[in-house]
Amino acid sequence: MEMTQSNLSSKEIITACGMCYVGCGVKVQVDNGVVVNIEGNPDNPQNRGKMCAKGKAVFMTHYNPNRVKAPMKRTNPEKGYGVDPGWVEITWDEAIDTIVAQLERIRDKPSKFWVYAWEVIGDNNFWFPQLGIAFGSPHCGVATSPTCGKAIHPVEFFSGGGFHQAPDLHYSNYCILVGTQFGVASRSSFNHNVLDMAEARSRGMKLVVIDPVGGHAASKADEWIPIRPGTDTALANSMLHVLLNELHIYDEPFLKHRTNAAYLVGQDGLYIRDAATNEPQIHDARDGKVKTHNDPSLTDPSLSGTYDVHGQQGRTCFDLLREHVAKYSPETTEKITTIPAATVRRITREFGEAARVGETICIDGVDLPLRPASVDWARGTQGHKHGFHNCWPLKLVNIVVGAVNVPGGILSTGAAGDFPHHWWPEGGTDGMLEHGGAIMHGFSHAKAFPGRAPATPNRMDIGELFPLASHFQTLLPITLENPPAYGLSEEDKIEVLLHSPTNPVLGSWGDPKKVEKLLTSLRFIFGFAVEINEMTLFDDIVLPFPSSLERYDFNCGTAQNNLGPCGQDDFCWTVRQPAIEAVTSIRHPQEVIQEIAERLGILDGLYRLLNHTYGLKKEYALQSGTRYRVTEFIDRAVRSWFGEEHSLDWFREHNVLRHPKSVDVAYINPFLKARIPVYLEHFVTKGKQLKAVVDQLGLDWDLSDYQPLSDWRPCQSYDAMGKGEYDLIAVHFKLPYVYGSYGNENPWIDEVCEATDAYKILLNAAVGKAKGIANGDSVWLQSPVHKVRATVKLTECIHPQVVGIGGHFGHFAPGMPISRGKGISFNALLPTDLDHIDKISTALDHCVQVKVYK
Amino acid sequence: MNLTPAVQANVAVRVTFMGGLHAVTGQRELQMTFPQGATVADLLASLSKRYGDAFTCRVFSSPGKLEHTILIFVDGEHIKGRGGLAATLGNSEVEVIMLPMYAGG
């Protein structure tokens, strides 16, 4: 039939983007069954009609001619890089028969099952791990990167109450970004925050970016300050020193009443506790008595001084902090960070003055502290040998001026809410913030207080030896090499892996030889796939994954879950719905998971977990013995959460449900019935407990990071400078149009990357000149574990000791003909062993010594 | 309270372990009997005795306080709604689950 404008079937579907974890609201134009355009949905507060290049390009991923559209099995039992799996298409019955048989084989040893669930978020981020839990495995991970979340989530849950942090750009006048491109090139809620950042800057907010790479964020900043990688602890301690000891700018009432700054500490580094209640004690300046932190008569906690408590000399946490950071004068740390002392003093003074300590603001009739200054940090500061302590004192800079969860300060994402149900952070042990808030029920907070008890491992990732860490998957290439070294049995090694359609080979670990060894050590791997990427090459069974344009998800992104926009922007819930129907050979993974669970006899357990995770009310809970279409599940979920009137049909039509945020939900700290720390007393205890366990195992671990106040310690790359063959440090940075390695095969994204030199490595122009390297030269880039050809882009916008590498490129899978051979994989340069792992957070050190030569 | 199977034991409890606890107990399910009026706390005390410190240190963050990674359901209902550790057991199905932590990215 000849197609004309009048008979063209045209429709617009309101749904959510799926090209990264944010889940922006979009409107998809479908003409005659073909997606022809995508626009941002202006009614969705997550992105307010804005889109990024990735989202605009989504239908090129959907229409990728190399997409996996039917189950496949490998016919070549040999595995490894460069090995052709010999794929043949199979039926779903054969695929599931094979998977179930493999899981039946390890039924009595369920810890041999490993679920890698991060899936560029949707419901399967929750469904996949629940299958593993119901099966009985401890190895069910909802994390992928060897840096992401390693420090931010533990820190946030005990010092903010939420999952992540974000500067309050609505009121901020001074924002320092350290090792992050928040509001410019990265992070959730990306498109929302980009607009907030632009508005804040046009309002006059000063933006200071401290980063080895003068990238996208620096290009928008008032000031870019290059810093030597892995030296953020020194910078932060210097800023604390200037604030506390030189300028005497700090929020005294906040520190007294809302932190543990006044808690008394004995010679052993532990709180001095009340003999009867075991509660920490405080000196009350009003009556000169020492009393417990929760004593109703406590009026004026002493921030400074030494007090006799039953013969023990107790010093305040605040004094200990102030004394500790005095070691870090800007002149001292200049030699470490390369940031001039005068610059540190200036930005600290500007920050301290901008914080306007003591001022208040009235919002919606509620008087709140106003602290329009914040320091934000993320991936760049986390990915280090001492990643936790590289980050924590940066948070402390905000805390000492009271700029935490108040207007203008640093805010916690997803910490509290009153719609569709109530969630709120709560205090606990020692009166401190212990229980973070989260809208979803079914996972534990990745919190670091009070910490778990260290124990002899039975997890193959030795998570028991990291009692303060949030996830442990990063350790598997190391620990599976030699389980007996950690008290584990070779016989208990993981054998079966279920993975999501992301690409952990390029993004989850380091040294590619170790990654290959890890994956070839597994007897059976089944995974969902959009395309045959480097991870899929190791699969035994590949299952097709519906694209975000043909998929349903109740949870369509972190922006509506735990990484939403901060401040008083509306809460919103969106359901992802298909713009077009998938071919019949593609099934919704939720339905596949149910079938596998039923065949294994664990469907009831799976439902128990899902009902809890989603908080489904009794009448909407998944019922024993029934299998559900994905639409039935989502219909139950939305009606359970939002009432009968908000069925799936309602969301199909309207898609976006908004709810205004009250002041207390937006700015929780003044309403929080818990204190936040300036001194990490429990690190002392956990360090001692851990030492006893590692000693028993015969492990020679340096546990010096288990200390209550942060000290700077060098990464190996720092020590390597000038001592041997390496003279540069490679670091990674994010690009606003690339999310991990997901989407690299998209031709439009590839075009943007080509046009912006994203595939090139950045080298300081003066360094290049000295080495005889010109712009566009092909060079060898060599780390201690990997050597690769790269193309150089010379720039003045990079620290002279640094090589900058963006994105997650370096694809080699035959199923990725567009992206194959372009750019390099940064992670492949990283030594992967326990000497490069942060003993607090399990972060893999992401600054690596390299040399560049022709 | 005598928690071992005994003459006066009169409630039968089937315990199911999910998540990381199977690796500690080595069992997916366990049949136990308790005296009338026994609670979840009694059940956990009995399990601690049976499986030792490896169980106790993973389930409790301090005496009487469950680790935040632990979920317990009695007859399909979260114990939070039944009085927590004081929840009474009948002839019950008890699920003891160790959850992973949620950390993204």
Side-chain angles (χ1 to χ4, degrees):
Chain A
M1 183 175 70
E2 186 184 345
M3 207 54 79
T4 66
Q5 198 64 32
S6 59
N7 66 12
L8 191 68
S9 158
S10 183
K11 61 179 179 177
E12 183 182 74
I13 304 295
I14 314 172
T15 183
C17 180
M19 285 296 276
C20 79
Y21 59 83
V22 176
C24 292
V26 294
K27 293 183 173 184
V28 182
Q29 182 71 32
V30 182
D31 287 351
N32 207 35
V34 178
V35 177
V36 294
N37 192 29
I38 300 173
E39 302 283 345
N41 179 5
D43 297 327
N44 192 317
Q46 310 297 0
N47 55 313
R48 297 176 286 193
K50 307 299 177 192
M51 287 196 75
C52 72
K54 299 186 292 288
K56 291 293 282 186
V58 61
F59 59 95
M60 298 303 282
T61 292
H62 172 81
Y63 289 120
N64 176 356
N66 294 311
R67 264 190 66 196
V68 175
K69 289 189 175 172
M72 298 191 296
K73 70 176 179 184
R74 77 183 302 123
T75 54
N76 182 357
E78 188 189 345
K79 291 185 180 181
Y81 300 139
V83 175
D84 180 0
W87 300 117
V88 294
E89 279 194 16
I90 56 173
T91 64
W92 274 100
D93 283 346
E94 182 180 350
I96 291 179
D97 284 349
T98 309
I99 291 164
V100 169
Q102 288 291 336
L103 289 169
E104 287 282 12
R105 186 177 56 76
I106 58 167
R107 175 184 282 277
D108 293 335
K109 284 276 189 183
S111 59
K112 287 176 175 286
F113 186 30
W114 169 22
V115 179
Y116 172 102
W118 180 255
E119 63 103 344
V120 189
I121 204 167
D123 281 321
N124 297 296
N125 215 32
F126 300 92
W127 281 66
F128 288 5
Q130 306 297 12
L131 177 73
I133 300 166
F135 188 70
S137 174
H139 305 116
C140 306
V142 192
T144 174
S145 154
T147 56
C148 193
K150 296 282 190 181
I152 188 68
H153 305 318
V155 163
E156 257 312 298
F157 275 122
F158 71 54
S159 67
F163 188 70
H164 212 294
Q165 67 182 13
D168 183 16
L169 296 173
H170 303 87
Y171 293 100
S172 177
N173 292 327
Y174 198 92
C175 179
I176 302 176
L177 303 180
V178 187
T180 181
Q181 301 192 79
F182 174 83
V184 180
S186 64
R187 306 255 297 273
S188 199
S189 305
F190 178 72
N191 283 305
H192 184 103
N193 292 331
V194 164
L195 193 56
D196 277 356
M197 178 64 85
E199 288 172 354
R201 287 173 49 239
S202 68
R203 195 185 66 238
M205 181 192 80
K206 181 168 181 177
L207 178 64
V208 177
V209 170
I210 302 176
D211 198 301
V213 181
H216 290 83
S219 74
K220 304 291 185 191
D222 296 276
E223 187 171 358
W224 167 55
I225 301 171
I227 184 171
R228 186 183 273 154
T231 63
D232 310 281
T233 324
L235 166 69
N237 279 351
S238 266
M239 293 182 72
L240 287 165
H241 167 67
V242 173
L243 284 171
L244 302 179
N245 296 319
E246 295 186 359
L247 301 172
H248 304 286
I249 295 177
Y250 49 88
D251 189 335
E252 195 170 319
F254 178 82
L255 290 169
K256 283 181 174 180
H257 298 287
R258 300 202 164 273
T259 75
N260 67 351
Y263 283 23
L264 295 173
V265 174
Q267 292 286 326
D268 56 2
L270 301 174
Y271 295 146
I272 297 179
R273 295 176 180 274
D274 177 64
T277 64
N278 202 37
E279 296 291 346
Q281 300 188 99
I282 288 175
H283 177 265
D284 190 342
R286 187 183 66 83
D287 57 15
K289 292 181 179 172
V290 171
K291 47 188 79 167
T292 58
H293 66 89
N294 52 0
D295 188 318
S297 73
L298 180 64
T299 306
D300 187 14
S302 298
L303 270 189
S304 290
T306 302
Y307 303 96
D308 182 88
V309 190
H310 304 304
Q312 270 203 81
Q313 295 298 297
R315 305 194 61 204
T316 65
C317 291
F318 184 67
D319 273 357
L320 293 173
L321 172 65
R322 208 156 52 167
E323 203 171 279
H324 180 82
V325 297
K327 294 185 295 185
Y328 292 87
S329 73
E331 287 72 22
T332 303
T333 59
E334 178 176 346
K335 301 179 192 75
I336 299 168
T337 64
T338 68
I339 300 176
T343 303
V344 173
R345 282 207 170 80
R346 176 175 52 77
I347 62 165
T348 306
R349 188 185 66 252
E350 290 172 358
F351 170 85
E353 290 171 353
R356 295 161 67 169
V357 173
E359 292 193 22
T360 59
I361 185 173
C362 184
I363 301 176
D364 293 349
V366 181
D367 287 324
L368 299 163
L370 174 67
R371 299 289 180 275
S374 63
V375 177
D376 186 33
W377 48 272
R379 187 174 187 272
T381 57
Q382 291 181 121
H384 295 285
K385 161 79 175 160
H386 306 282
F388 184 92
H389 284 296
N390 213 44
C391 299
W392 166 238
L394 289 165
K395 180 78 177 194
L396 269 178
V397 175
N398 297 304
I399 291 175
V400 298
V401 297
V404 178
N405 284 320
V406 297
I410 198 83
L411 304 181
S412 300
T413 68
D418 51 15
F419 179 83
H421 48 259
H422 178 81
W423 73 99
W424 191 264
E426 291 174 3
T429 307
D430 297 337
M432 305 300 292
L433 177 58
E434 180 175 343
H435 309 286
I439 191 172
M440 296 289 286
H441 301 67
F443 283 85
S444 311
H445 301 140
K447 65 180 190 176
F449 177 79
R452 302 170 301 279
T456 302
N458 60 26
R459 299 177 61 107
M460 276 291 152
D461 54 22
I462 63 170
E464 294 92 337
L465 300 183
F466 293 84
L468 303 173
S470 55
H471 55 91
F472 325 106
Q473 189 160 264
T474 310
L475 298 162
L476 280 170
I478 303 166
T479 56
L480 280 178
E481 278 190 326
N482 186 13
Y486 314 100
L488 295 159
S489 165
E490 287 278 357
E491 291 176 2
D492 293 333
K493 283 174 80 166
I494 292 168
E495 292 186 7
V496 177
L497 167 63
L498 157 62
H499 69 82
S500 59
T502 52
N503 192 348
V505 167
L506 261 60
S508 290
W509 301 291
D511 185 349
K513 292 185 286 297
K514 295 216 175 185
V515 176
E516 185 180 39
K517 198 172 169 187
L518 165 70
L519 295 175
T520 53
S521 77
L522 305 174
R523 282 182 64 175
F524 181 78
I525 303 177
F526 67 107
F528 287 87
V530 175
E531 61 216 353
I532 298 294
N533 64 29
E534 290 71 25
M535 181 67 197
T536 322
L537 288 176
F538 290 87
D539 287 358
D540 294 277
I541 297 281
V542 181
L543 303 173
F545 195 77
S547 82
S548 57
L549 290 173
E550 56 194 12
R551 196 164 90 226
Y552 278 103
D553 282 306
F554 171 74
N555 258 294
C556 64
T558 53
Q560 64 186 25
N561 181 343
N562 49 17
L563 281 162
C566 284
Q568 275 196 287
D569 293 294
D570 283 359
F571 169 87
C572 138
W573 200 266
T574 304
V575 166
R576 177 174 291 119
Q577 63 175 325
I580 42 180
E581 275 189 35
V583 295
T584 53
S585 57
I586 298 179
R587 296 176 60 187
H588 264 84
Q590 297 95 315
E591 295 170 12
V592 176
I593 294 297
Q594 286 177 70
E595 183 173 345
I596 293 171
E598 186 175 53
R599 297 269 302 269
L600 291 167
I602 58 171
L603 189 62
D604 287 357
L606 175 71
Y607 285 173
R608 174 84 63 246
L609 290 158
L610 289 169
N611 289 335
H612 176 73
T613 299
Y614 286 87
L616 299 184
K617 292 173 185 153
K618 203 169 182 178
E619 58 269 39
Y620 303 103
L622 304 179
Q623 299 297 316
S624 173
T626 306
R627 290 216 332 242
Y628 297 89
R629 300 299 306 265
V630 68
T631 47
E632 293 175 303
F633 166 72
I634 293 176
D635 189 49
R636 282 170 174 265
V638 289
R639 285 187 293 131
S640 177
W641 276 40
F642 303 109
E644 273 297 316
E645 68 276 24
H646 292 109
S647 63
L648 176 56
D649 281 342
W650 186 94
F651 276 93
R652 279 179 172 131
E653 182 181 352
H654 304 280
N655 206 250
V656 180
L657 181 61
R658 303 173 67 135
H659 185 80
K661 269 191 213 156
S662 56
V663 172
D664 60 337
V665 165
Y667 300 109
I668 61 173
N669 192 275
F671 310 96
L672 196 60
K673 293 181 174 57
R675 295 171 185 266
I676 60 176
V678 301
Y679 180 90
L680 305 176
E681 188 244 15
H682 67 294
F683 272 48
V684 179
T685 313
K686 288 299 160 196
K688 285 179 181 168
Q689 293 172 351
L690 180 57
K691 184 165 188 337
V693 178
V694 298
D695 283 352
Q696 201 171 19
L697 290 167
L699 298 171
D700 181 23
W701 281 18
D702 177 6
L703 300 179
S704 50
D705 277 350
Y706 282 83
Q707 60 182 67
L709 296 165
S710 301
D711 272 316
W712 174 75
R713 294 185 174 89
C715 296
Q716 291 188 16
S717 60
Y718 184 98
D719 283 338
M721 289 303 93
K723 286 185 183 170
E725 57 182 321
Y726 300 102
D727 59 348
L728 294 164
I729 298 174
V731 300
H732 178 261
F733 61 93
K734 292 185 178 179
L735 300 159
Y737 35 83
V738 172
Y739 173 63
S741 60
Y742 191 83
N744 288 350
E745 187 59 13
N746 188 303
W748 289 6
I749 292 176
D750 171 64
E751 195 174 329
V752 175
C753 289
E754 292 277 15
T756 56
D757 288 336
Y759 294 134
K760 295 177 180 172
I761 63 170
L762 304 181
L763 185 66
N764 186 277
V767 174
K769 188 177 177 187
K771 288 178 177 288
I773 295 171
N775 221 1
D777 276 358
S778 177
V779 296
W780 283 109
L781 174 66
Q782 185 174 345
S783 81
V785 298
H786 196 63
K787 178 179 165 183
V788 64
R789 291 299 286 181
T791 306
V792 169
K793 179 178 182 176
L794 296 179
T795 173
E796 292 176 358
C797 294
I798 191 163
H799 192 287
Q801 293 180 336
V802 168
V803 175
I805 299 164
H808 282 282
F809 305 121
H811 290 281
F812 53 85
M816 304 185 72
I818 292 173
S819 52
R820 193 171 58 217
K822 294 180 179 171
I824 70 161
S825 167
F826 171 79
N827 286 36
L829 299 169
L830 302 176
T832 304
D833 53 47
L834 281 175
D835 286 342
H836 290 82
I837 292 286
D838 178 18
K839 292 297 188 300
I840 304 289
S841 73
T842 75
L844 178 65
D845 199 339
H846 267 46
C847 60
V848 57
Q849 62 269 38
V850 293
K851 57 184 175 181
V852 175
Y853 55 97
K854 284 190 177 177
Chain B
M1 187 179 290
N2 180 7
L3 299 176
T4 54
V7 176
Q8 76 270 31
N10 55 8
V11 295
V13 177
R14 188 170 74 156
V15 186
T16 305
F17 300 107
M18 285 194 249
L21 287 175
H22 185 284
V24 179
T25 63
Q27 291 170 286
R28 194 181 300 275
E29 284 183 5
L30 185 63
Q31 285 290 150
M32 303 180 81
T33 52
F34 290 93
Q36 286 282 2
T39 64
V40 170
D42 297 327
L43 167 67
L44 294 177
S46 178
L47 293 173
S48 285
K49 196 172 172 186
R50 179 186 286 247
Y51 298 114
D53 282 349
F55 181 86
T56 309
C57 78
R58 286 172 173 85
V59 171
F60 292 102
S61 60
S62 58
K65 187 176 171 188
L66 286 178
E67 184 59 71
H68 79 297
T69 54
I70 297 297
L71 266 184
I72 300 177
F73 294 90
V74 175
D75 295 326
E77 189 181 347
H78 193 302
I79 59 168
K80 204 172 172 183
R82 297 175 70 131
L85 294 178
T88 308
L89 302 171
N91 289 317
S92 300
E93 303 274 337
V94 178
E95 289 148 313
V96 187
I97 304 165
M98 179 181 267
L99 295 170
M101 286 177 293
Y102 185 95

